Amino acid sequence: MLPVVDKPAIQYVVEEAVRAGLSDLLFVTGRGKTSIEDHFDRVYELEDKLEGDTGKAGLLERVQAATELATIHYVRQGEPKGLGHAVLCGAQHIGDEPFAVMLGDDLVDERDTLLTYMVDVQQRHGGCVVALMEVPADQIGLYGCAAVAATDETDVVRVTGLVEKPPPEEAPSNLAIIGRYVLAPEIFEVLRTTLPGRGGEIQLTDAIEALIDRSADGGPVHGVIFRGSPLRHR
Ligand code: G1P
């Protein structure tokens, strides 16, 4: 709920999803995150108050906009067992179709069309698509890192390997995963048997890596290289 300029950071993420054509959103929340649910609920008392004040029409619109962006659902991750586990919490809601994962603490500029492009790449190639960004070699250990092969599409690569937060000397590239993914539903089956990895957590990176080896049923894994500068707040 950290405010960025004039709205909570999480609202930028919701707006980005809506711009990419996604209208059914599931938040995976946990302890201490109830203010997110309140933010996207309607606050009739406040709306009534603003409606009665002609000078506040602009404010009323903005309050209502937060609640009308998309259909929003919530599921709680009862224990912090890692990003892979958090994604698995959405399995029942999502069912058998491709879906996007957006990490609320990675923000991209409102003018960037990264997620829209990733959805397009997934629709054309199937499988999974991760967002990648070049980082200085000494920072790769803060991210999941991808080994890649070129394709003939600009800024689209084939991902041939993934490793979660490698020491710089073991990193296969300087391409870091940033918090946007478009995933095939086969990921759930893999996540159910993914053992805790780096940091003792069930890592989404490890599950996607497993899908690379079984591309017959999970489809290929592609990366879209993001050339903007995301804001990471954590
Ligand atoms: C998570 C992922 C990591 C990714 C990062 C992007 O790590 O596990 O692969 O690079 O998000 O922000 P976290 O920073 O949550 O530990």
Side-chain angles (χ1 to χ4, degrees):
M1 293 300 290
L2 181 83
V4 177
V5 189
D6 61 351
K7 44 191 172 187
I10 194 69
Q11 193 170 328
Y12 289 90
V13 180
V14 169
E15 289 173 2
E16 183 190 343
V18 171
R19 280 198 303 276
L22 312 178
S23 56
D24 185 283
L25 311 185
L26 176 72
F27 279 87
V28 182
T29 67
R31 192 168 281 277
K33 294 281 167 66
T34 46
S35 53
I36 296 182
E37 301 174 29
D38 291 342
H39 175 72
F40 291 105
D41 276 350
R42 296 196 72 160
V43 190
Y44 291 103
E45 307 87 317
L46 178 61
E47 288 181 31
D48 283 351
K49 228 172 155 190
L50 294 174
E51 243 157 35
D53 185 337
T54 43
K56 298 275 169 65
L59 254 183
L60 176 64
E61 248 169 56
R62 286 179 47 195
V63 165
Q64 288 176 335
T67 64
E68 284 167 6
L69 283 171
T71 312
I72 299 182
H73 309 268
Y74 300 89
V75 60
R76 287 176 72 100
Q77 183 189 24
E79 294 171 80
K81 290 206 259 180
L83 177 58
H85 176 254
V87 170
L88 191 53
C89 291
Q92 201 183 347
H93 182 86
I94 291 159
D96 193 27
E97 52 182 336
F99 62 101
V101 172
M102 307 173 76
L103 305 191
D105 37 24
D106 288 332
L107 299 185
V108 302
D109 191 291
E110 291 175 271
R111 289 158 297 186
D112 279 311
T113 52
L114 173 66
L115 188 64
T116 307
Y117 192 30
M118 292 173 71
V119 168
D120 171 58
V121 170
Q122 200 282 337
Q123 281 172 345
R124 285 186 288 114
H125 296 284
C128 295
V129 182
V130 297
L132 299 173
M133 178 183 73
E134 289 177 357
V135 298
D138 63 348
Q139 286 178 27
I140 196 72
L142 300 171
Y143 299 90
C145 175
V148 302
T151 70
D152 45 24
E153 272 179 75
T154 315
D155 289 338
V156 178
V157 289
R158 181 85 184 228
V159 176
T160 57
L162 285 173
V163 46
E164 180 68 8
K165 305 197 175 89
E169 61 283 5
E170 287 169 26
S173 75
N174 67 340
L175 289 171
I177 304 177
I178 52 172
R180 299 292 180 271
Y181 309 77
V182 181
L183 300 175
E186 284 81 4
I187 197 77
F188 294 127
E189 187 195 319
V190 180
L191 279 169
R192 283 190 189 99
T193 54
T194 300
L195 298 172
R198 179 114 197 153
E201 297 191 337
I202 298 171
Q203 296 292 350
L204 182 59
T205 306
D206 294 347
I208 303 172
E209 156 75 16
L211 273 187
I212 296 173
D213 297 336
R214 328 179 330 164
S215 49
D217 36 335
V221 179
H222 284 91
V224 168
I225 301 178
F226 179 57
R227 303 286 177 192
S229 42
L231 170 67
R232 215 178 185 219
H233 69 92
R234 57 186 74 191

